[in-house]
Amino acid sequence: MTAEPRAASGPAVSTFPILLYHRIGTSSRSARGGEGQRFDVNADAFASQMDLLAASGRRSFAISDLLPCREAAATTVAVTFDDGTADFYRTAWPILREREIAVTLYVTSGLVGKSYLGSEMLSWEQLEELRDGGVEIGAHGYHHIALDLVSLERAAIECINSKLALEDRLQRAVTSFAYPFGYHTDPLKRLLPKIGYSSACAVKNALSHPRDDPFGLARLTVSGDLPARRFEQLLSGNGARMAWDGERPRTRVWRAYRHARSRTRRFEH
Ligand SMILES: [Zn+2]
């Protein structure tokens, strides 16, 4: 939390939160265990957060709709979900729909209809229903692997196949991507527009802003233990750093450590 964002050194810039959720009201906590549990948000807590969001005066956007409107940052917010677990359909979507909150769902294409690490994944039928209900469906890789630890060719295949699988089944253009675990590289960022993506979400746990990198959009992870007061602070555009350009040194150090560990952990976040 020590690095200052480059964008923060200029004149004051309006910021907005792109919220990142994983599982809501999941019943498989004991099955998954470990670090992933931190990102499970209780259904009542999620409903309260969405009440706060609806009352905040900010307008919610799907990521593809957000990109052209980022100048209105002071009145903007986005809600995103990663992975494509079935609890989204059962628990999160009814809460969002009731409040008319736009949402982008990033789906791990190769896991649709399966069970993975104790989590039931969305089915194609559920995804079709969500598509028809106005949910933006984005890609989240095909196998949910860390794309910065594999060759650029392998990473490109993941990005292409995840997009094609969703488009083939859902008959809808898929132009939004979210990096599994948030991990990405500059060569991959340059490749994504050539594949047909118009944006990609990272994590960064920072506030986004109109000049934020469209292929490294900053998001704020909402964990299960996030206090309501802190959530309100984020909604007001405070309480977190502003997104920075490029990669911080400690990110490179962390990648070197993960390389050395020589195995990727799936569903860490
Ligand atoms: Zn993920």
Side-chain angles (χ1 to χ4, degrees):
M1 297 289 175
T2 53
E4 285 298 319
R6 205 186 306 172
S9 59
V13 177
S14 294
T15 57
F16 59 91
I18 303 178
L19 302 171
L20 165 57
Y21 289 93
H22 292 83
R23 290 156 194 79
I24 304 297
T26 179
S27 59
S28 58
R29 296 173 73 90
S30 59
R32 292 194 306 108
E35 185 71 5
Q37 280 190 5
R38 281 187 51 226
F39 304 109
D40 295 353
V41 175
N42 174 277
D44 291 338
F46 180 66
S48 298
Q49 289 170 357
M50 293 304 101
D51 284 338
L52 289 170
L53 187 147
S56 70
R58 288 185 183 267
R59 181 180 169 195
S60 61
F61 286 89
I63 293 296
S64 288
D65 297 331
L66 169 76
L67 288 175
C69 313
R70 289 191 294 169
E71 294 302 329
T75 56
T76 297
V77 65
V79 178
T80 68
F81 277 75
D82 277 9
D83 297 341
T85 50
D87 52 271
F88 178 85
Y89 176 84
R90 284 194 295 266
T91 310
W93 172 231
I95 291 169
L96 291 161
R97 185 176 50 195
E98 186 180 325
R99 293 159 179 78
E100 299 183 336
I101 294 171
V103 61
T104 303
L105 171 67
Y106 292 104
V107 174
T108 310
S109 312
L111 300 179
V112 175
K114 299 180 180 175
S115 176
Y116 191 67
L117 296 180
S119 291
E120 179 191 352
M121 308 305 284
L122 289 160
S123 67
W124 286 116
E125 291 74 21
Q126 289 169 332
L127 282 170
E128 287 167 350
E129 198 175 323
L130 293 169
R131 172 205 62 194
D132 294 343
V135 174
E136 179 180 13
I137 311 282
H140 192 46
Y142 197 84
H143 295 102
H144 203 274
I145 59 173
L147 299 177
D148 64 330
L149 293 186
V150 297
S151 68
L152 184 59
E153 181 183 16
R154 172 91 194 276
I157 290 169
E158 279 285 319
C159 299
I160 292 168
N161 285 351
S162 60
K163 176 178 165 67
L164 291 180
L166 291 170
E167 291 181 339
D168 183 52
R169 178 64 191 240
L170 299 176
Q171 293 296 299
R172 184 74 53 92
V174 172
T175 58
S176 300
F177 189 80
Y179 305 104
F181 315 101
Y183 297 142
H184 58 281
T185 62
D186 285 340
L188 184 57
K189 282 202 308 187
R190 289 193 290 270
L191 193 64
L192 287 181
K194 296 172 186 165
I195 294 172
Y197 289 107
S198 59
S199 72
C201 278
V203 179
K204 298 184 176 177
N205 285 316
L207 290 156
S208 190
H209 55 82
R211 307 285 174 263
D212 197 5
D213 180 355
F215 288 93
L217 290 168
R219 293 189 292 177
L220 295 155
T221 305
V222 181
S223 58
D225 57 359
L226 187 75
R229 194 172 60 180
R230 169 125 176 86
F231 186 82
E232 286 183 282
Q233 202 179 17
L234 296 175
L235 275 182
S236 71
N238 297 297
R241 298 162 295 170
M242 184 188 292
W244 55 90
D245 295 333
E247 189 174 70
R248 293 178 301 167
R250 71 175 183 178
T251 303
R252 286 192 288 275
V253 170
W254 175 237
R255 181 179 303 131
Y257 168 76
R258 290 186 296 112
H259 266 296
R261 200 170 54 171
S262 73
R263 61 185 282 266
T264 56
R265 292 168 62 190
R266 298 177 181 183
F267 277 105
E268 190 170 319
H269 54 79

